Amino acid sequence: MVKLTEVADEHFIPTQPYHDDDDDDDDAYSDTSSSASSTHHDNRDLNESFYDRITALKDMIPPRQRAAFNGAVSKTYSLLSGGLSMGGTALWVLVTSTFVLGVPFAVAVGDEQQLIEMEKDMKMQQFTTESLTPGAASILSEPPRKQ
């Protein structure tokens, strides 16, 4: 036959409040004096970090909901990290392609524009030369006369 014994957990056993040796006042921990006991209780809470408080909240949420939330957060993180990785790769390909293909094209277009400007300047110089010497154009266009 099996004999069952109950083992009490120390965490759930009520303990006596902390008594400071410096306090000579016997009424410090009575029901009527709440200021001394609440001050000591507040000091214990100050030692607890914000992270400790947040991690203690996980016990309030059922495991099924925690697993669903964790799955959603993990999926969102993986989608965002994958998207940012692909976006960075696409941006790198775009910038590299622009440098490899776009810069030589821009230089060629600039050279073409420079050539067009030089042709315009030459035509202007020719027109200016012809307009300043009106007789020179008629001499050049007429055949020479015999005398």
Side-chain angles (χ1 to χ4, degrees):
M1 184 157 180
V2 177
K3 184 177 179 182
L4 296 176
T5 58
E6 182 178 354
V7 178
D9 191 2
E10 292 177 2
H11 178 70
F12 295 109
I13 297 174
T15 60
Q16 292 291 328
Y18 175 74
H19 182 61
D20 195 6
D21 292 336
D22 294 338
D23 280 340
D24 292 331
D25 196 8
D26 291 335
D27 296 334
Y29 294 106
S30 69
D31 290 339
T32 58
S33 175
S34 63
S35 64
S37 63
S38 66
T39 304
H40 178 68
H41 183 67
D42 291 341
N43 288 339
R44 271 192 276 158
D45 289 342
L46 292 176
N47 294 335
E48 187 176 32
S49 70
F50 184 72
Y51 177 75
D52 292 336
R53 289 183 181 205
I54 296 297
T55 55
L57 290 176
K58 76 176 183 180
D59 295 334
M60 294 176 60
I61 301 171
R64 177 181 273 177
Q65 290 177 343
R66 273 188 285 170
F69 180 74
N70 188 21
V73 168
S74 297
K75 192 170 191 173
T76 302
Y77 175 77
S78 66
L79 286 174
L80 283 175
S81 65
L84 288 175
S85 176
M86 284 180 53
T89 303
L91 183 64
W92 184 82
V93 167
L94 183 68
V95 168
T96 304
S97 299
T98 301
F99 284 143
V100 169
L101 300 174
V103 172
F105 179 73
V107 170
V109 168
D111 289 345
E112 184 70 25
Q113 289 294 327
Q114 188 177 11
L115 184 63
I116 291 171
E117 289 295 323
M118 285 176 55
E119 286 178 0
K120 283 182 183 178
D121 286 344
M122 289 174 65
K123 285 183 182 179
M124 275 304 248
Q125 286 177 355
Q126 184 181 5
F127 177 73
T128 305
T129 304
E130 288 177 2
S131 65
L132 288 178
T133 54
S138 62
I139 293 175
L140 293 175
S141 62
E142 293 181 6
R145 293 185 188 175
K146 292 186 182 180
Q147 293 186 8

